Amino acid sequence: MREYLKFYIDGQWVDPVELKTLDVENPATEQVVGKIALGSAADVDKAVKAARKAFETWSQTSREERLDVLQRILAEYQKRFGDLTAAVTEEMGAPASLAQRAQVPSGMGHLATAANILKDFKFEEDRGETLIVKEPIGVCSFITPWNWPLNQIACKVAPAIATGCTMVLKPSEVAPFSGQIFAEIMHAAGVPAGVFNLVHGDGLGVGVPLSTHPDVDMVSFTGSTRAGIEVAKNAAPTVKRVHQELGGKSPNIVLDDDAFSKSVARGVMHVMTNSGQSCNAPTRMLVPSKRMDEAMAVAKATADNVTVGDPNGNFNMGPVVSKTQWEKIQGLIQKGVDEGATLVTGGTGRPEGLEKGHYVKPTVFGNVTSEMTIAKEEIFGPVLSILGYESLEQAIRIGNDTEYGLAGYVNGADLAKARDVARQIRAGQVSINGASDMTAPFGGYKQSGNGREWGDFAFHEFLETKAIMGYAPKAAE
């Protein structure tokens, strides 16, 4: 039983102003496996004051000093790799194999990437008599989700450290264990007091104060579009910068060529990874209408081979994170049936043989139309909708017919055609044939958010631009 009843503020583990606790459940067993303290506005104020004080000196550190700190954080992170893996599996149900090969390494990747970029990043630029300077924005508040907890913590913290910002983190109260260990890593790495602070809590108790606090210069939020809108509203009166990475309903356009079966299978497995709990999952697969039956057959065979069970066992897929999520997913699966989509495999209820835990059947719907609920709403579970198209022009129109624009996918043997389609998808990141790149900017169009994370684009989110005119006046003639 884990008990995390202190917050990390100003380089120390401190008691909350008023102790209130929350039980943390293991979604695979539905048993309480830990307890955290719930913070309040008073705790947030203490953390922000510590961050504001630390900013005075941290913002003036050299590139070399910040690089040294990042490298120390990375070294401590590597030491705690096993602890982080166990925490992610316990708190949100990711299979141990996924935690080891993706969940935990993703955080490591962002730290290493930020260190590499910092070595050569240009913070100053001469433009004739004027000097353009990029300066750290100030105190940042980070509100991170439960689905890829370390990825989302590290992709905010790493560039903030690199650019000279200070910060207060609120990890998800649903999956707080990995965030706690991350704070222990920061302490062990000798990050100067006040540069990094952590306050556990829920949205109302900690998220709102972090969004409204007048001494916070930027709030970076990852989560649902609904919650992101509230964060923006809360931040508006103080005119702070707001960065949001929100929901998605990403299209996956499968081309009509010899790679068809491989493309369909790849798309199915991508959706099932992490139990479908990824904002950029390719949950709308678009296939030529004439090949719908073939697509459904391949999708069924692929999904039926996805094993579901104990995340500490040898299974492809664990549970979804909570009863609330499980019930939402069940309702949307039933909606798909009720609205006339073809249930190819899966459906409502737990997979056979699993009587406890928030497990969902790998589910595929075929003959889905754009008007159906399952084609419009973000399900955030292992549920794939397959839609038909008559032409690539129609496929692109259907793909873009969404309020979201986080990601898009194109799969096929004809690279020239795939490139052409990718250019027309209205999304912040488009992957051709499963390609990925941790240095590529990540973020959305439309209601999928604003701003970018990952790589050098992330640095700019944490910087203000100053023009110093007359810095290098012309020599007298």
Side-chain angles (χ1 to χ4, degrees), residues 123-366:
F123 289 97
E124 297 185 359
E125 176 190 348
D126 290 312
R127 290 193 180 180
E129 296 183 37
T130 301
L131 180 69
I132 307 297
V133 182
K134 298 285 188 178
E135 297 182 338
I137 193 169
V139 176
C140 305
S141 60
F142 298 149
I143 304 170
T144 59
W146 46 260
N147 60 322
W148 287 89
L150 289 162
N151 178 77
Q152 289 309 127
I153 289 171
C155 77
K156 298 179 192 300
V157 170
I161 290 284
T163 54
C165 295
T166 59
M167 64 216 74
V168 182
L169 167 68
K170 185 199 92 66
S172 169
E173 71 275 21
V174 176
F177 300 158
S178 53
Q180 177 84 9
I181 295 171
F182 191 90
E184 293 171 2
I185 288 167
M186 299 293 275
H187 183 73
V191 176
V195 170
F196 172 88
N197 305 272
L198 174 142
V199 179
H200 287 298
D202 57 21
L204 190 61
V206 176
V208 171
L210 280 174
S211 303
T212 58
H213 201 292
D215 282 335
V216 168
D217 300 292
M218 170 184 173
V219 55
S220 180
F221 170 82
T222 300
S224 70
T225 297
R226 176 194 55 76
I229 291 168
E230 292 304 310
V231 167
K233 287 180 178 178
N234 291 333
T238 49
V239 200
K240 56 174 56 66
R241 185 178 297 176
V242 178
H243 170 265
Q244 302 164 313
E245 194 266 280
L246 308 175
K249 193 69 180 177
S250 302
N252 178 12
I253 298 177
V254 178
L255 303 182
D256 186 6
D257 56 32
D258 293 341
F260 186 78
S261 294
K262 181 180 179 181
S263 297
V264 170
R266 179 191 291 127
V268 172
M269 290 307 298
H270 194 156
V271 170
M272 302 308 163
T273 299
N274 207 42
S275 300
Q277 299 171 124
S278 298
C279 47
N280 62 342
T283 50
R284 290 186 299 142
M285 181 182 289
L286 286 86
V287 303
S289 298
K290 64 185 180 183
R291 302 186 77 167
M292 175 63 73
D293 289 346
E294 183 183 350
M296 290 193 295
V298 173
K300 175 176 171 54
T302 306
D304 287 350
N305 278 328
V306 175
T307 57
V308 185
D310 180 0
N312 286 301
N314 189 27
F315 295 95
N316 305 127
M317 206 172 87
V320 295
V321 76
S322 66
K323 183 179 181 181
T324 299
Q325 286 298 119
W326 189 88
E327 290 177 345
K328 176 193 173 188
I329 295 164
Q330 298 302 308
L332 286 165
I333 292 173
Q334 186 59 53
K335 197 85 169 174
V337 173
D338 294 344
E339 292 183 359
T342 301
L343 181 61
V344 176
T345 192
T348 56
R350 291 189 182 91
E352 188 176 346
L354 295 170
E355 304 302 323
K356 188 177 289 187
H358 308 308
Y359 295 98
V360 177
K361 296 174 184 176
T363 298
V364 176
F365 283 101

Side-chain angles (χ1 to χ4, degrees), residues 439-453:
T439 68
F442 183 75
Y445 289 20
K446 299 185 278 188
Q447 291 194 31
S448 285
N450 51 66
R452 294 294 181 267
E453 295 182 319

Side-chain angles (χ1 to χ4, degrees), residues 3-24:
E3 280 201 354
Y4 298 143
L5 304 181
K6 292 179 182 288
F7 304 139
Y8 188 67
I9 298 175
D10 206 14
Q12 300 179 22
W13 293 99
V14 301
D15 293 323
V17 173
E18 180 183 353
L19 181 60
K20 295 180 181 179
T21 62
L22 176 72
D23 290 337
V24 180

